[in-house]
Amino acid sequence: MPKIVRFHETGGAEVLRIEELPLVEPGEGEVRLKVEALGLNRAEIMFRQGQYLETPRLPTRLGYEASGVVDAVGPGVSGVKIGDRVSTIPSFSISAYGVYGESAIVPAYAVASYPADLSPIEGAAIWMQYLTAYGALIEFGQLQKNGCVLITAASSSVGLAAIQIAESVGATAIAATRGAGKKSFLMGAGADHVIATDEEDLVESVMALTAGKGVSMAFDPVGGSLLGKLADAAAPGATIFEYGALSPDPTIFPLFPALAKGLSVRGYTLFEIVKNPERLARGKQFVYDGLKSGALKPIIDRTFPLENIVEAHRYMESNQQQGKIVVTV
């Protein structure tokens, strides 16, 4: 029987349990993976805590990203066969189709091949980060050469993906992180400028770097009081993409800067891309092209074995990571 990660109550990382459960056969339109690696995401932390967009139906599995080999195919599936080397695109209910464990069943539409020169660890670190960043920066933001984007929480996997995407289209990437200890890492990862907000004033630094113009786009998973600073650092007509709620503080709409500058503050999630076939097709092609050219390259911070899933979640909550956290199976 495969080892599966579930939780029976919401709470801290300690609620995660590794249980041996019977192997399940895929249903209509589904495929089963023999999982090789799992990519961890902030969404799974929030889901475990009961603070996510989707309410857990307990006991529940969790997990959006896995790489592995297809070992069973359900009725009505075409285009996917046993033996295919694939990774999952987060485009399904996390409660209905969690992938943490040695075996996972997902909808057939949610698997995609990944380049042969990438390892399973890298294969589990593609779709969440690159499609999330692609959707805001390229699909909706239309970021182009000579554009300038401010990326907060920049050492996260999505933040790093945004840096790489901005660089790939010739835009300027200003990375924001709290501590100065990550500055050299972020510069090495492709950021044009890095602001350590614990030591530097975000708005003053942005204005100095942009000759007083401000940024044409901001990409932020934090919210809270930071939104007001992003509005102050924005150029007239800029768009601020809010794709998370890491701040425990209320997020107050910056009315006066928005009025004065004609700002757009836009809530955004990956599901706007993955639930739309045309957008998803464009996003996948963008990612494939970037991986092939080398413009996009997953940055892996640290790996944990499956038996240390609790420690892996605690590490993600520590905010020490510089890139993707991956669990090997």
Side-chain angles (χ1 to χ4, degrees):
M1 293 194 296
K3 294 178 180 177
I4 302 299
V5 178
R6 298 198 301 176
F7 61 93
H8 294 249
E9 60 182 323
T10 57
E14 67 279 356
V15 303
L16 297 176
R17 301 183 189 176
I18 299 177
E19 304 171 339
E20 292 190 357
L21 298 174
L23 189 65
V24 179
E25 296 300 320
E28 182 79 22
E30 297 175 337
V31 299
R32 189 178 69 202
L33 304 185
K34 185 180 185 301
V35 176
E36 296 177 304
L38 306 165
L40 267 58
N41 296 287
R42 185 69 60 173
E44 292 139 24
I45 303 292
M46 298 175 70
F47 180 67
R48 189 202 73 218
Q49 295 170 334
Q51 299 175 352
Y52 190 51
L53 297 171
E54 184 177 346
T55 301
R57 300 192 299 272
L58 302 171
T60 183
R61 294 186 66 163
L62 73 166
Y64 274 129
E65 283 190 287
S67 63
V69 177
V70 176
D71 68 358
V73 174
V77 172
S78 61
V80 184
K81 64 183 184 302
I82 292 174
D84 283 354
R85 180 176 177 263
V86 298
S87 54
T88 58
I89 296 174
S91 53
F92 45 80
S93 162
I94 191 174
S95 187
Y97 289 106
V99 299
Y100 281 15
E102 294 177 334
S103 180
I105 289 177
V106 295
Y109 64 73
V111 300
S113 62
Y114 60 93
D117 60 340
L118 296 187
S119 68
I121 288 173
E122 293 170 313
I126 297 174
W127 299 114
M128 176 69 88
Q129 63 182 28
Y130 286 124
L131 287 178
T132 299
Y134 161 85
L137 272 60
I138 305 300
E139 181 72 24
F140 297 125
Q142 298 291 303
L143 184 66
Q144 298 176 4
K145 187 176 181 179
N146 300 323
C148 184
V149 56
L150 174 60
I151 301 163
T152 63
S155 62
S156 69
S157 59
V158 176
L160 294 169
I163 290 171
Q164 292 180 3
I165 288 174
E167 184 180 28
S168 76
V169 299
T172 298
I174 301 177
T177 187
R178 286 188 296 181
K182 293 183 178 181
K183 290 187 76 169
S184 61
F185 165 74
L186 288 168
M187 291 296 292
D192 295 286
H193 309 283
V194 182
I195 302 169
T197 57
D198 284 349
E199 303 175 12
E200 304 169 78
D201 184 275
L202 179 65
V203 179
E204 289 180 3
S205 298
V206 167
M207 289 303 175
L209 292 169
T210 60
K213 297 178 182 178
V215 294
S216 56
M217 185 186 303
F219 184 53
D220 174 54
V222 180
S225 61
L226 181 59
L227 178 56
K229 296 179 181 179
L230 298 179
D232 289 339
T239 299
I240 300 172
F241 288 95
E242 290 290 334
Y243 70 99
L246 296 179
S247 174
D249 302 324
T251 300
I252 299 173
F253 185 77
L255 179 60
F256 286 106
L259 290 172
K261 298 180 181 181
L263 302 179
S264 296
V265 179
R266 189 192 192 291
Y268 162 73
T269 74
L270 170 68
F271 289 98
E272 294 183 64
I273 300 300
V274 298
K275 292 295 187 181
N276 181 295
E278 293 181 357
R279 291 172 183 165
L280 177 58
R282 288 193 293 267
K284 287 172 67 176
Q285 192 59 56
F286 183 92
V287 174
Y288 280 137
D289 290 345
L291 292 170
K292 183 177 180 179
S293 70
L296 306 182
K297 177 68 174 176
I299 297 175
I300 309 301
D301 174 85
R302 185 174 169 185
T303 63
F304 292 81
L306 182 63
E307 56 264 29
N308 290 349
I309 187 67
V310 170
E311 288 78 2
H313 265 232
R314 286 175 175 157
Y315 180 64
M316 172 163 272
E317 290 178 300
S318 75
N319 296 317
Q320 299 176 48
Q321 69 270 20
Q322 299 178 131
K324 192 77 169 183
I325 303 168
V326 178
V327 171
T328 56
V329 179

